[in-house]
Amino acid sequence: MVTGRFIAFEGGEGAGKSTQAQLLVAALEARGKVCVLTREPGGTPGAEAIRELLLHPPGEGWLPQTEALLFAAARADHVGRLVRPSLAKGHWVVSDRYLDSSRAYQGAALELGDRAIRDLHSFGSTGMLPDLTVVLTAEPARVAERLARRDGGAADAIGGRDAAYHARVAAAFTRFAAAEPDRFVVIDGESDVDAVHQRVMQAVEQLC
Ligand code: TYD
């Protein structure tokens, strides 16, 4: 049976993940691959509804544990209804964020711990991991500038957390990649868009 490949882009806010995910899909399609471009939280109607709850929480916001459960619930729907069925058809799935965002934003930066996030993932999504995870890095000062341009002061509940929180997130991604060099590739997201894309294509080549 032909199965597709699963690639995730990870990193802090404003590191260029969405742009690079789009460029990768265009390049793979030009080579004749059938691709699904998706994102987390989201990607299915149910997960997109949960996304709205997470980014624009009602009332005073979610407790850390609730937030982690909602991300895991959105991911379970995404994996079960879109990612797995697409891979089974031989399609390539490219996701803007996946599990390692939960490990960085909830497990590390909210201090819920990696074990708890992995346990939720194991239950919700049978522990499914991408074939390759691309971490795009960016300097916090440059990111703040890009985000101010993008969000114009209207950041969501998580993007709007303080600089120390986002520094913990960035450090966590770097740690994860160092701990599992076979699963991750780290690319400087601040090089020009084409240079980053070339690096992404080099990394993806091994999966083709
Ligand atoms: P989004 O606008 O898609 O991210 P970006 O700023 O990278 O374009 O918003 C998703 C937000 O949700 C982002 O702040 C990261 C956060 N997030 C988590 O905290 N945990 C997760 O598991 C995922 C997938 C995202």
Side-chain angles (χ1 to χ4, degrees):
M1 190 179 80
V2 189
T3 49
R5 301 278 187 227
F6 180 19
I7 300 164
F9 282 87
E10 296 280 14
E13 328 279 310
K17 293 181 299 300
S18 313
T19 304
Q20 290 301 329
Q22 283 166 20
L23 289 172
L24 174 60
V25 163
L28 289 170
E29 284 177 345
R31 294 184 182 194
K33 313 279 187 208
V34 179
C35 294
V36 177
L37 176 60
T38 185
R39 68 172 180 181
E40 288 207 350
T44 59
E48 290 289 334
I50 297 173
R51 177 187 175 91
E52 190 53 30
L53 288 173
L54 279 161
L55 300 189
H56 305 286
E60 50 191 304
W62 304 112
L63 296 171
Q65 285 81 357
T66 322
E67 183 175 298
L69 286 161
L70 286 170
F71 276 113
R75 184 162 304 122
D77 198 67
H78 185 218
V79 168
R81 295 193 192 278
L82 182 68
V83 178
R84 266 189 202 292
S86 301
L87 293 173
K89 285 185 237 162
H91 299 170
W92 285 55
V93 176
V94 176
S95 187
D96 184 348
R97 295 191 182 279
Y98 188 65
L99 168 71
D100 294 301
S101 281
S102 285
R103 296 179 65 213
Y105 284 80
Q106 283 71 47
L110 284 184
E111 299 182 357
L112 292 175
D114 208 44
R115 184 75 266 153
I117 303 303
R118 284 186 177 275
D119 285 348
L120 292 179
H121 187 55
S122 168
F123 174 70
S125 304
T126 63
M128 181 172 197
L129 293 176
D131 295 292
L132 178 71
T133 297
V134 180
V135 173
L136 296 181
T137 59
E139 275 302 311
R142 283 276 310 277
V143 169
E145 200 182 286
R146 278 200 225 171
L147 287 181
R149 253 199 324 265
R150 187 188 79 175
D151 299 341
D156 59 65
I158 296 171
R161 289 177 186 161
D162 67 15
Y165 177 84
H166 290 289
R168 291 198 295 279
V169 168
F173 281 124
T174 303
R175 266 199 323 276
F176 301 160
E180 288 185 84
D182 292 345
R183 185 160 83 77
F184 288 93
V185 61
V186 180
I187 299 175
D188 175 5
E190 299 199 71
S191 312
D192 76 62
V193 171
D194 288 338
V196 176
H197 175 59
Q198 289 317 316
R199 289 278 296 107
V200 171
M201 291 310 292
Q202 275 168 17
V204 167
E205 205 62 60
Q206 48 165 333
L207 303 176
C208 288

